[in-house]
Amino acid sequence: MKNLNFKYRLLFLVTLVFMMASCKPKNANNTISGDAAGKVYVAPGKYDEFYNFVSGGFSGQMSAYGLPSGRLLRVIPVFSVDPEKGYGFSEETKPMLNTSHGFVPWDDLHHVQLSKSNGDYDGKWLFGNANNTPRVARIDLKTFRTAEIIELPNSAGNHSSPFLTENTEYVVAGTRFSVPPDDVNGDVPINTYKKNFKGTLSFISVKKEDGKMELAFQIECPGFNFDLSRAGKGVSHGWFFFSCYNTEQASTLLEVNASQKDKDFILAVNWKKAEEYLKAGKGKKKSVRYAHNTYNEKTHTATSEIKTEVIVLDSKILKDICYFIPCPKSPHGCDVSPTGEYIVGSGKLAAIIPVFGFNKMLKTIQAKDFIGSFEGIPVLKYESVLYGEVKKPGLGPLHTEFDNKGNAYTSFFVSSEVVKWNIKDLKVLDRVPTYYSVGHLTVAGGDTKNPNGKYLVAYNKITKDRYLPTGPELSQSAQLYDISGDKMQLILDFPTIGEPHYAQIAPADLIKNNSTKFYKLDENKHKYASIGEGATKVVREGKVVHVYMTAIRSHFSPDNIEGIRLGDDVYFHITNLEQDWDVPHGFGIKGAANAELLIMPGETQTLKWTPDRVGMVPIYCTDFCSALHQEMQGYVRVSPAGSNVPLSYSLGTNIPKVEGEERSERKNKQ
Ligand code: RUQ
Ligand code: CUA
């Protein structure tokens, strides 16, 4: 019997996969109408109306696009090294990628979240999750740079993250993989999952003034896969909702074994209550190891600290912080309406979309209308929490966002479409194809209290036939829809960097005027800064040489260096003396084992270089900075170990000698 069941499930899944292929809309080319071009046209020299911040998936980065044009504005390095910007290669940025495992140069970034005040975007910060080595990053929207990264202990696969409460009180992160907690021996048989594996939810507090993150507390939950999450808002402020799958607690062949049950759960967490327990000392201190990395804009340097403690609340003992809401078939998205009253679960394998009522949930809890419990957590009665079901919405619902007119938009992976439905009467109003197999979607302000509702972007998993072929892999694809009318209208395809997962859209006005134009030189507190060419020098400390260098259009100072020896480690500390917007200088050196530096105006950055041979090594500026950019170059002379060539450096005084002429007295500073 069991075996038969297994075969059926497998058949079901195989059918799904086939359906996926056959559900692709035909006539992909005929669906754009004539006025689409006008709607996305942003004239040369004009700005876009919105920023679109897009996760880069396995590129580990984020990117910023303009909408409606779809122009790529910037790739923001977050969890992966970026040789273009020297991120993860300069001495200053290396600590940003430090973890309890050491330096980790890559990750998989799935979700972005703009910071919120009062349930609306405030334009200050952007958060991103690392799905592999669990971390949360904060990007500063003044500089479009990663300002802070915090690692998460007791976690693996930080997927349901980094979702925010309505005033950015917390960034919340649920573990995708349940694992044995860090403070117990994880060397156990995998098939002891039910006994030894735990799911952990992390609550990271965010300081209002400067965004500084701290791991405030964790909640230990049963060993499931926590998939996505959303905070309550408005009426449901103080609660958080997490979708969970694999409530079967399988550890192998999950595609079958985690699809057994008719219903999995949405976990509702009363985080205000959890805070009370925390204050009352109900948490347990656990010993863990996690990195907390911060970039300081004044020293232009990141520091990494390893922390060793976290407070854990136990959901089994603290009875009234966690409740399970049954949700059909492997819920993925778990989204909350603008008023906070409705919670939408999206079961990947479900044929309906259940919409839960927050007030109904409270009543169900009050009436103790439970159908049982799971590892001490009450399971609420589905029918009692349910507001209603959206019938025949499509196949494979994943994610839902909202507009300003009481409508919801759900992405359907299997039937490859976006479906618009009304939140009150749950009637389907419109559907449009996506090309193809949409994953996440985002509506401008679609997760806030006041959505904008002008545009929707679908982020697709399959691109087949949408762009010019580029070998075995095609560009990742996003599609822009105008949703201002009754009918949704596809108006633009645009490629993205990496695989896009979640993204958000914010009005450009919220962000653009706060943008940093350059760093002030007189505020530069870098240990090795040279404020002015007069401060440049080369200093030997045993086998370590520090080069205090400056860059300005169009030369480095110094640009001739001699007396470097094989066996030295040379640190080029380069201060960009420019005090003007958009004048970075680059720095490349032949044979370097890392990348270039790209130094912003007023900033100091350091490249470590270990010469591997005797000879003449050119350096040059990599960023076309002026008409004489190509002249922005110099030489470093490398002599054998033990050589007695004196250390010297100069700018403009090391004049070439005529053949046979006596070596003239060098005017170089020694
Ligand atoms: S996921 S396609 Cu990694 Cu957010 Cu839903
Ligand atoms: Cu500096 Cu090119």
Side-chain angles (χ1 to χ4, degrees), residues 211 217 224 278 402 424 427 430-431 518 577 606 665:
F217 63 95
F224 297 155
L278 186 73
F402 306 90
K424 275 264 129 69
K427 292 253 157 42
D430 189 24
R431 53 181 74 236
F518 55 85
L577 297 179
T606 302
E665 183 67 42

Side-chain angles (χ1 to χ4, degrees), residues 17-205:
V17 170
F18 270 107
M19 270 163 31
M20 192 189 109
S22 59
C23 275
K24 276 180 195 160
K26 309 278 169 348
N27 304 324
N29 299 322
N30 309 332
T31 49
I32 305 245
S33 63
D35 58 341
K39 286 188 173 172
V40 301
Y41 184 69
V42 177
K46 292 274 181 270
Y47 287 160
D48 277 289
E49 190 185 346
F50 291 96
Y51 283 102
N52 182 199
F53 296 102
V54 184
S55 58
F58 44 70
S59 85
Q61 319 293 39
M62 279 189 207
S63 44
Y65 292 81
L67 289 181
S69 73
R71 296 165 173 167
L72 173 62
L73 305 173
R74 184 167 182 81
V75 174
I76 306 168
V78 184
F79 295 116
S80 297
V81 296
D82 183 354
E84 177 193 334
K85 301 177 183 76
Y87 182 79
F89 294 101
S90 71
E91 294 307 299
E92 288 79 0
T93 54
K94 277 179 186 170
M96 289 304 283
L97 300 178
N98 191 41
T99 70
S100 63
H101 305 272
F103 182 79
V104 174
W106 168 87
D107 218 295
D108 183 16
L109 195 163
H110 282 213
H111 306 121
V112 307
Q113 281 271 287
L114 285 153
S115 55
K116 288 181 181 129
S117 297
N118 266 322
D120 286 321
Y121 301 147
D122 60 18
K124 289 190 193 163
W125 307 299
L126 191 57
F127 295 86
N129 69 319
N131 191 34
N132 181 52
T133 303
R135 283 168 287 172
V136 165
R138 180 173 58 86
I139 287 100
D140 190 329
L141 284 174
K142 288 200 294 296
T143 57
F144 281 56
R145 286 175 146 194
T146 304
E148 193 177 4
I149 292 181
I150 192 164
E151 192 184 358
L152 298 170
N154 295 322
S155 299
N158 173 38
H159 193 262
S160 46
S161 163
F163 295 96
L164 300 175
T165 54
E166 71 174 27
N167 295 300
T168 319
E169 293 96 338
Y170 292 106
V171 189
V172 175
T175 187
R176 169 202 177 165
F177 295 97
S178 283
V179 283
D182 290 0
D183 64 340
V184 301
N185 183 8
D187 179 16
V188 294
I190 297 172
N191 64 15
T192 61
Y193 186 107
K194 286 189 187 180
K195 179 165 155 242
N196 289 321
F197 290 43
K198 293 290 166 212
T200 300
L201 314 175
S202 303
F203 285 72
I204 302 164
S205 62

Side-chain angles (χ1 to χ4, degrees), residues 110-111 159 228 332 398-399 439-440 461 501-502:
H110 282 213
H111 306 121
H159 193 262
L228 280 148
H332 184 57
L398 290 185
H399 299 282
H440 275 277
K461 300 299 183 194
H501 292 255
Y502 188 44

Side-chain angles (χ1 to χ4, degrees), residues 585 621 623-625 629 632:
H585 290 286
C621 171
D623 187 337
F624 209 109
C625 49
H629 152 80
M632 194 163 172

Side-chain angles (χ1 to χ4, degrees), residues 332-508:
H332 184 57
C334 170
D335 297 287
V336 178
S337 69
T339 60
E341 173 56 25
Y342 302 105
I343 301 125
V344 181
S346 295
K348 299 187 290 270
L349 307 175
I352 51 109
I353 303 175
V355 179
F356 301 101
F358 176 71
N359 280 306
K360 293 192 94 176
M361 182 194 86
L362 289 185
K363 279 187 199 134
T364 309
I365 292 171
Q366 228 155 40
K368 293 209 159 56
D369 192 2
F370 305 150
I371 57 164
S373 71
F374 198 106
E375 292 194 18
I377 298 178
V379 180
L380 311 182
K381 192 169 169 204
Y382 176 73
E383 292 75 13
S384 304
V385 188
L386 189 72
Y387 169 72
E389 293 173 343
V390 183
K391 306 280 189 214
K392 299 221 175 109
L395 292 172
L398 290 185
H399 299 282
T400 300
E401 292 233 327
F402 306 90
D403 70 8
N404 50 349
K405 294 177 209 126
N407 301 311
Y409 300 80
T410 302
S411 57
F412 287 84
F413 177 81
V414 177
S415 54
S416 233
E417 59 189 338
V418 172
V419 174
K420 174 181 176 182
W421 50 276
N422 182 274
I423 306 174
K424 275 264 129 69
D425 65 16
L426 308 180
K427 292 253 157 42
V428 171
L429 301 171
D430 189 24
R431 53 181 74 236
V432 281
T434 61
Y435 308 97
Y436 304 93
S437 298
V438 55
H440 275 277
L441 51 67
T442 187
V443 172
D447 75 330
T448 66
K449 276 184 171 171
N450 298 292
N452 171 284
K454 192 166 180 179
Y455 296 117
L456 177 151
V457 181
Y459 300 92
N460 305 317
K461 300 299 183 194
I462 295 168
T463 314
K464 199 174 272 179
D465 78 22
R466 294 305 284 183
Y467 298 118
L468 286 173
T470 49
E473 195 198 9
L474 293 167
S475 175
Q476 311 286 335
S477 171
Q479 294 187 298
L480 177 68
Y481 296 81
D482 177 350
I483 57 165
S484 57
D486 285 346
K487 295 280 166 203
M488 296 178 273
Q489 189 196 3
L490 174 59
I491 52 176
L492 183 72
D493 275 11
F494 64 98
T496 66
I497 304 287
E499 184 189 49
H501 292 255
Y502 188 44
Q504 292 197 317
I505 303 171

